[in-house]
């Protein structure tokens, strides 16, 4: 469940649930879970809107569109939208030409520290409270990552404490330290494994 003003990150996509990896290297269970969380968030924002709901929904819809593109490439067939009837309109494929899809899946994590990982990742927040930490479906619990927002050159070093369907998600406290005001998605990020 996602709480607060958050969006789920797309990258990597290895989530530890047993539907298996597709030939494209994406894990349908992780992508389905990320889609489910985003659709639930959108439905919640539509059910109880506030002054920033439209901006949050727009940011989250962009993430949903990217997830759907990756699900299509990976051959995922689950009808996740049917599980969330209130959010069904948000899952329609984009009417315009899709943005350029990545040529290949994100680079798997490097074995050593100091390696840049999850190339091309976007970063958002998981909506979880507490001291700064990260969630990941790519890295094992306890991994230390440095996330740098290239748009403002702010960085944070966090430990992976929970799992997700994305390369890396930052909890609220961590995201607040690196985000730009009014933005709920970091489109230009560098993620480095430091331990």
């Amino acid at each position: 469940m996602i709480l607060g003003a958050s969006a789920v990150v797309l990258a990597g996509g290895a989530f530890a649930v047993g539907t298996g990896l597709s030939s494209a290297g994406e894990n349908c269970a992780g992508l389905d879970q990320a889609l489910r969380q985003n659709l639930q968030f959108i439905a919640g924002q539509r059910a109880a809107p506030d002054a920033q709901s439209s901006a949050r929904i727009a940011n989250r819809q962009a993430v949903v569109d990217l997830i759907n593109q990756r699900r299509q490439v990976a051959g995922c067939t689950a009808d996740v939208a049917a599980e969330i009837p209130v959010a069904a309109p948000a899952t329609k494929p984009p009417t315009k030409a899709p943005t350029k899809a990545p040529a290949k899946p994100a680079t798997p994590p490097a074995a050593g520290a100091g390696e840049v990982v999850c190339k091309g990742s976007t970063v958002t927040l998981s909506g979880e409270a507490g001291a700064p930490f990260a969630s990941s479906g790519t890295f094992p619990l306890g991994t230390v990552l440095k996330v740098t927002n290239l748009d403002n050159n702010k960085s944070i070093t966090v430990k992976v404490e929970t799992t997700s369907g994305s390369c890396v998600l930052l909890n609220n406290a961590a995201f607040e330290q690196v985000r730009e005001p009014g933005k709920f998605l970091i489109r230009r990020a560098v993620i480095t494994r430091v331990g």
Side-chain angles (χ1 to χ4, degrees):
M1 179 178 356
I2 300 215
L3 305 171
S6 62
V8 175
V9 175
L10 279 187
F15 187 73
V17 176
T19 62
L21 293 175
S22 73
S23 61
E26 294 279 10
N27 182 299
C28 288
L31 291 171
D32 290 350
Q33 180 63 22
L35 179 60
R36 189 174 296 109
Q37 289 173 340
N38 279 285
L39 292 176
Q40 288 170 342
F41 179 83
I42 290 170
Q45 288 293 305
R46 287 184 175 152
D50 62 25
Q52 293 191 358
S53 289
S54 61
R56 289 185 195 121
I57 290 170
N59 281 332
R60 197 59 79 94
Q61 184 60 50
V63 173
V64 165
D65 293 342
L66 290 171
I67 292 171
N68 280 328
Q69 288 175 10
R70 292 183 93 153
R71 288 179 76 244
Q72 184 178 10
V73 169
C76 303
T77 58
D79 189 5
V80 176
E83 300 172 21
I84 306 150
V86 175
T91 63
K92 290 181 183 175
T95 54
K96 62 183 182 186
T99 57
K100 184 180 175 187
K104 60 180 183 176
T107 305
E115 297 284 335
V116 174
V117 294
C118 303
K119 292 183 173 135
S121 295
T122 57
V123 177
T124 59
L125 62 155
S126 66
E128 297 174 273
F133 71 90
S135 298
S136 179
T138 304
F139 299 98
L141 299 179
T143 303
V144 178
L145 301 171
K146 179 179 179 184
V147 178
T148 303
N149 181 346
L150 296 176
D151 291 327
N152 61 12
N153 290 320
K154 290 184 179 179
S155 296
I156 187 163
T157 301
V158 289
K159 185 184 284 188
V160 174
E161 294 184 6
T162 60
T163 58
S164 70
S166 302
C167 176
V168 66
L169 294 174
L170 297 177
N171 76 331
N172 292 348
F175 191 79
E176 285 300 320
Q177 292 185 31
V178 294
R179 81 177 194 151
E180 292 182 277
K183 294 192 178 177
F184 300 100
L185 181 67
I186 300 169
R187 295 189 187 277
R188 295 185 341 114
V190 173
I191 302 166
T192 308
R193 183 175 183 163
V194 295

